Amino acid sequence: MHEIGAPDADFLQADLGSNLPFDADIFDGVVSSLAFHYVREWGRLFRQLRRVLRPGGWMVFSVQHPHADFEEYEDAQNYHERERVSTTWDSFGDEVVVPAYRRPLAAMVTPALNAGFRLEQLVEPTPTEEYRRADPERYEYEATRPNFLCLRFLLPP
Ligand SMILES: C[S@@+](CC[C@H](N)C(=O)[O-])C[C@H]1O[C@@H](n2cnc3c(N)ncnc32)[C@H](O)[C@@H]1O
């Protein structure tokens, strides 16, 4: 764990793929944007998040939509399986191969339910007007295809 000081917030860094170095029942909520698909084992991930959340806690996360993952990762082979996939990013200058894990929709929801969370809301967001103005071509693509998935879960009080 690495701690970074800030005037009015503490930033703690930890590996979501390991046992989290936090005490039980200390957080009110979890927010994760486009990070969980780098973690192989979601069963352990959600059990860990449940452990560190207080009763009545909440968890909101976004991921790439499982259908988009399956369509867009060139090395995806079987929708129904969890698969290690990779993509090449070139927007930082050098090309970087970034590994990730894609999985079907059921494999995103079921481990959270098994860890004791209750699914409260599921959203498949569509692009905004600002997005249309900024990138009309990509807007047309995303306006007609699933791209992201946002899920909100609750723990019992
Ligand atoms: C695509 S970026 C998303 C960044 C930001 N949350 C956003 O939405 O713009 C993925 C993030 O996941 C983090 N990440 C990847 N693997 C992780 C792991 N095992 N534990 C914790 N964070 C991880 C990366 O450090 C990176 O910040």
Side-chain angles (χ1 to χ4, degrees):
M1 180 173 65
H2 182 58
E3 194 166 343
I4 305 164
D8 53 8
D10 292 330
F11 291 87
L12 308 171
Q13 187 176 18
D15 178 5
L16 289 168
S18 67
N19 292 332
L20 297 175
F22 307 121
D23 292 338
D25 300 347
I26 61 167
F27 295 114
D28 297 320
V30 166
V31 179
S32 170
S33 166
L34 302 176
F36 285 177
H37 56 288
Y38 299 107
V39 177
R40 184 172 184 273
E41 292 292 343
W42 282 22
R44 176 167 74 168
L45 170 64
F46 292 135
R47 287 192 298 276
Q48 285 294 309
L49 294 177
R50 181 188 176 145
R51 182 182 66 76
V52 301
L53 280 169
R54 296 190 180 100
W58 47 269
M59 169 173 73
V60 179
F61 66 88
S62 65
V63 286
Q64 292 170 179
H65 195 286
H67 182 272
D69 271 356
F70 185 64
E71 291 295 315
E72 294 179 11
Y73 279 113
E74 290 178 3
D75 43 356
Q77 303 207 348
N78 181 344
Y79 172 81
H80 299 288
E81 298 289 330
R82 180 188 66 205
E83 297 178 317
R84 189 177 190 277
V85 290
S86 62
T87 189
T88 303
W89 290 0
D90 56 11
S91 41
F92 302 115
D94 294 336
E95 289 195 343
V96 180
V97 176
V98 182
Y101 296 91
R102 58 145 300 275
R103 67 201 77 213
L105 178 60
M108 295 180 168
V109 174
T110 305
L113 301 179
N114 288 345
F117 289 94
R118 179 170 64 77
L119 179 62
E120 189 196 35
Q121 197 171 0
L122 181 156
V123 176
E124 294 172 301
T126 50
T128 60
E129 279 305 309
E130 287 84 354
Y131 195 150
R132 186 205 291 269
R133 285 194 289 277
D135 191 341
E137 196 176 324
R138 183 70 192 177
Y139 174 92
E140 289 306 324
Y141 182 87
E142 292 189 11
T144 55
R145 291 168 183 79
N147 196 40
F148 294 112
L149 179 67
C150 303
L151 299 164
R152 179 176 166 90
F153 291 87
L154 297 178
L155 285 177

Short mmCIF file of all heavy atoms in Angstrom, two decimals, residues 56-80:
data_model
loop_
_atom_site.label_atom_id
_atom_site.label_comp_id
_atom_site.label_asym_id
_atom_site.label_seq_id
_atom_site.Cartn_x
_atom_site.Cartn_y
_atom_site.Cartn_z
N GLY A 56 -24.84 -1.93 4.86
CA GLY A 56 -25.58 -0.86 4.18
C GLY A 56 -24.73 -0.11 3.16
O GLY A 56 -25.20 0.87 2.57
N GLY A 57 -23.50 -0.56 2.95
CA GLY A 57 -22.61 0.11 2.00
C GLY A 57 -23.05 -0.09 0.56
O GLY A 57 -23.92 -0.91 0.26
N TRP A 58 -22.42 0.66 -0.32
CA TRP A 58 -22.81 0.62 -1.73
C TRP A 58 -21.57 0.49 -2.61
O TRP A 58 -20.45 0.82 -2.18
CB TRP A 58 -23.62 1.86 -2.11
CG TRP A 58 -23.01 3.15 -1.64
CD1 TRP A 58 -23.26 3.79 -0.46
CD2 TRP A 58 -22.00 3.93 -2.31
NE1 TRP A 58 -22.47 4.92 -0.36
CE2 TRP A 58 -21.70 5.04 -1.49
CE3 TRP A 58 -21.33 3.79 -3.53
CZ2 TRP A 58 -20.76 5.99 -1.84
CZ3 TRP A 58 -20.39 4.75 -3.89
CH2 TRP A 58 -20.12 5.84 -3.04
N MET A 59 -21.79 0.03 -3.82
CA MET A 59 -20.69 -0.15 -4.77
C MET A 59 -21.22 0.23 -6.16
O MET A 59 -22.24 -0.31 -6.60
CB MET A 59 -20.23 -1.61 -4.76
CG MET A 59 -19.27 -1.97 -5.89
SD MET A 59 -18.60 -3.64 -5.73
CE MET A 59 -20.02 -4.66 -6.15
N VAL A 60 -20.56 1.17 -6.80
CA VAL A 60 -20.91 1.59 -8.15
C VAL A 60 -19.68 1.38 -9.02
O VAL A 60 -18.60 1.85 -8.67
CB VAL A 60 -21.30 3.09 -8.22
CG1 VAL A 60 -21.63 3.49 -9.66
CG2 VAL A 60 -22.48 3.37 -7.30
N PHE A 61 -19.85 0.67 -10.12
CA PHE A 61 -18.69 0.54 -11.01
C PHE A 61 -19.12 0.53 -12.48
O PHE A 61 -20.23 0.15 -12.82
CB PHE A 61 -17.82 -0.67 -10.68
CG PHE A 61 -18.44 -2.02 -10.89
CD1 PHE A 61 -18.36 -2.66 -12.12
CD2 PHE A 61 -19.08 -2.68 -9.86
CE1 PHE A 61 -18.90 -3.92 -12.32
CE2 PHE A 61 -19.63 -3.95 -10.04
CZ PHE A 61 -19.54 -4.56 -11.27
N SER A 62 -18.19 1.01 -13.31
CA SER A 62 -18.39 0.92 -14.75
C SER A 62 -17.36 -0.03 -15.33
O SER A 62 -16.25 -0.18 -14.79
CB SER A 62 -18.25 2.30 -15.41
OG SER A 62 -16.94 2.78 -15.27
N VAL A 63 -17.76 -0.68 -16.39
CA VAL A 63 -16.87 -1.57 -17.13
C VAL A 63 -17.18 -1.38 -18.61
O VAL A 63 -18.22 -0.82 -18.96
CB VAL A 63 -17.06 -3.06 -16.76
CG1 VAL A 63 -16.48 -3.37 -15.40
CG2 VAL A 63 -18.52 -3.45 -16.83
N GLN A 64 -16.31 -1.87 -19.45
CA GLN A 64 -16.67 -1.96 -20.85
C GLN A 64 -17.80 -2.98 -20.96
O GLN A 64 -17.82 -3.99 -20.24
CB GLN A 64 -15.45 -2.41 -21.68
CG GLN A 64 -14.38 -1.34 -21.72
CD GLN A 64 -13.07 -1.81 -22.32
OE1 GLN A 64 -12.15 -1.03 -22.42
NE2 GLN A 64 -12.95 -3.06 -22.71
N HIS A 65 -18.75 -2.69 -21.82
CA HIS A 65 -19.90 -3.59 -21.96
C HIS A 65 -19.43 -4.97 -22.43
O HIS A 65 -18.57 -5.06 -23.31
CB HIS A 65 -20.87 -2.98 -22.99
CG HIS A 65 -22.22 -3.60 -22.97
ND1 HIS A 65 -22.46 -4.85 -23.49
CD2 HIS A 65 -23.39 -3.15 -22.49
CE1 HIS A 65 -23.73 -5.14 -23.33
NE2 HIS A 65 -24.33 -4.12 -22.73
N PRO A 66 -19.96 -6.04 -21.84
CA PRO A 66 -19.47 -7.37 -22.23
C PRO A 66 -19.65 -7.68 -23.72
O PRO A 66 -18.83 -8.38 -24.31
CB PRO A 66 -20.30 -8.33 -21.36
CG PRO A 66 -21.42 -7.52 -20.81
CD PRO A 66 -20.96 -6.09 -20.78
N HIS A 67 -20.70 -7.14 -24.32
CA HIS A 67 -20.88 -7.36 -25.77
C HIS A 67 -19.80 -6.62 -26.56
O HIS A 67 -19.22 -7.16 -27.51
CB HIS A 67 -22.28 -6.90 -26.20
CG HIS A 67 -22.55 -7.13 -27.65
ND1 HIS A 67 -22.22 -6.21 -28.62
CD2 HIS A 67 -23.10 -8.19 -28.29
CE1 HIS A 67 -22.56 -6.69 -29.80
NE2 HIS A 67 -23.09 -7.89 -29.64
N ALA A 68 -19.50 -5.38 -26.14
CA ALA A 68 -18.45 -4.61 -26.83
C ALA A 68 -17.10 -5.29 -26.65
O ALA A 68 -16.30 -5.37 -27.59
CB ALA A 68 -18.40 -3.19 -26.27
N ASP A 69 -16.83 -5.77 -25.43
CA ASP A 69 -15.57 -6.50 -25.19
C ASP A 69 -15.44 -7.64 -26.18
O ASP A 69 -14.40 -7.84 -26.81
CB ASP A 69 -15.58 -7.12 -23.78
CG ASP A 69 -15.02 -6.17 -22.74
OD1 ASP A 69 -14.55 -5.08 -23.10
OD2 ASP A 69 -15.05 -6.54 -21.55
N PHE A 70 -16.51 -8.42 -26.30
CA PHE A 70 -16.44 -9.60 -27.15
C PHE A 70 -16.27 -9.22 -28.62
O PHE A 70 -15.53 -9.87 -29.36
CB PHE A 70 -17.69 -10.48 -26.97
CG PHE A 70 -17.60 -11.76 -27.73
CD1 PHE A 70 -16.63 -12.71 -27.42
CD2 PHE A 70 -18.47 -12.03 -28.78
CE1 PHE A 70 -16.53 -13.89 -28.13
CE2 PHE A 70 -18.37 -13.21 -29.50
CZ PHE A 70 -17.39 -14.14 -29.17
N GLU A 71 -16.92 -8.13 -29.03
CA GLU A 71 -16.82 -7.71 -30.43
C GLU A 71 -15.48 -7.05 -30.73
O GLU A 71 -14.96 -7.18 -31.84
CB GLU A 71 -17.95 -6.72 -30.76
CG GLU A 71 -19.33 -7.33 -30.77
CD GLU A 71 -19.50 -8.36 -31.88
OE1 GLU A 71 -19.07 -8.07 -33.01
OE2 GLU A 71 -20.03 -9.45 -31.59
N GLU A 72 -14.93 -6.33 -29.76
CA GLU A 72 -13.80 -5.45 -30.07
C GLU A 72 -12.43 -6.03 -29.74
O GLU A 72 -11.44 -5.63 -30.33
CB GLU A 72 -14.00 -4.10 -29.39
CG GLU A 72 -15.21 -3.37 -29.97
CD GLU A 72 -15.51 -2.04 -29.33
OE1 GLU A 72 -14.66 -1.53 -28.56
OE2 GLU A 72 -16.60 -1.50 -29.59
N TYR A 73 -12.34 -6.95 -28.78
CA TYR A 73 -11.04 -7.58 -28.53
C TYR A 73 -10.79 -8.61 -29.63
O TYR A 73 -11.55 -9.57 -29.78
CB TYR A 73 -11.00 -8.26 -27.16
CG TYR A 73 -10.73 -7.33 -26.02
CD1 TYR A 73 -11.69 -7.08 -25.06
CD2 TYR A 73 -9.48 -6.71 -25.89
CE1 TYR A 73 -11.43 -6.22 -23.99
CE2 TYR A 73 -9.22 -5.85 -24.83
CZ TYR A 73 -10.19 -5.61 -23.89
OH TYR A 73 -9.94 -4.76 -22.85
N GLU A 74 -9.72 -8.41 -30.37
CA GLU A 74 -9.45 -9.31 -31.50
C GLU A 74 -9.16 -10.73 -31.04
O GLU A 74 -9.36 -11.68 -31.80
CB GLU A 74 -8.28 -8.77 -32.32
CG GLU A 74 -8.66 -7.51 -33.07
CD GLU A 74 -7.51 -6.93 -33.86
OE1 GLU A 74 -6.42 -7.56 -33.89
OE2 GLU A 74 -7.70 -5.85 -34.44
N ASP A 75 -8.68 -10.90 -29.80
CA ASP A 75 -8.34 -12.24 -29.33
C ASP A 75 -9.47 -12.88 -28.52
O ASP A 75 -9.28 -13.95 -27.94
CB ASP A 75 -7.02 -12.24 -28.55
CG ASP A 75 -6.89 -11.08 -27.57
OD1 ASP A 75 -7.80 -10.21 -27.54
OD2 ASP A 75 -5.89 -11.04 -26.84
N ALA A 76 -10.65 -12.27 -28.49
CA ALA A 76 -11.80 -12.91 -27.83
C ALA A 76 -12.28 -14.08 -28.68
O ALA A 76 -12.37 -13.97 -29.90
CB ALA A 76 -12.92 -11.89 -27.64
N GLN A 77 -12.60 -15.19 -27.99
CA GLN A 77 -12.97 -16.39 -28.75
C GLN A 77 -14.32 -16.93 -28.36
O GLN A 77 -15.04 -17.48 -29.19
CB GLN A 77 -11.91 -17.47 -28.55
CG GLN A 77 -10.55 -17.00 -28.94
CD GLN A 77 -9.64 -18.13 -29.37
OE1 GLN A 77 -9.96 -19.29 -29.17
NE2 GLN A 77 -8.53 -17.79 -29.97
N ASN A 78 -14.65 -16.89 -27.06
CA ASN A 78 -15.87 -17.54 -26.59
C ASN A 78 -16.57 -16.59 -25.62
O ASN A 78 -16.08 -16.34 -24.52
CB ASN A 78 -15.50 -18.86 -25.89
CG ASN A 78 -16.72 -19.60 -25.39
OD1 ASN A 78 -17.82 -19.05 -25.28
ND2 ASN A 78 -16.54 -20.87 -25.06
N TYR A 79 -17.73 -16.04 -26.02
CA TYR A 79 -18.43 -15.07 -25.18
C TYR A 79 -18.66 -15.61 -23.78
O TYR A 79 -18.57 -14.87 -22.79
CB TYR A 79 -19.79 -14.68 -25.81
CG TYR A 79 -20.59 -13.83 -24.86
CD1 TYR A 79 -20.35 -12.46 -24.74
CD2 TYR A 79 -21.55 -14.39 -24.01
CE1 TYR A 79 -21.03 -11.68 -23.83
CE2 TYR A 79 -22.25 -13.61 -23.08
CZ TYR A 79 -21.98 -12.25 -22.99
OH TYR A 79 -22.65 -11.49 -22.08
N HIS A 80 -18.97 -16.89 -23.68
CA HIS A 80 -19.41 -17.44 -22.40
C HIS A 80 -18.28 -17.69 -21.41
O HIS A 80 -18.53 -18.01 -20.26
CB HIS A 80 -20.20 -18.73 -22.64
CG HIS A 80 -21.42 -18.50 -23.48
ND1 HIS A 80 -22.53 -17.85 -23.00
CD2 HIS A 80 -21.68 -18.78 -24.77
CE1 HIS A 80 -23.43 -17.75 -23.95
NE2 HIS A 80 -22.95 -18.31 -25.04
#
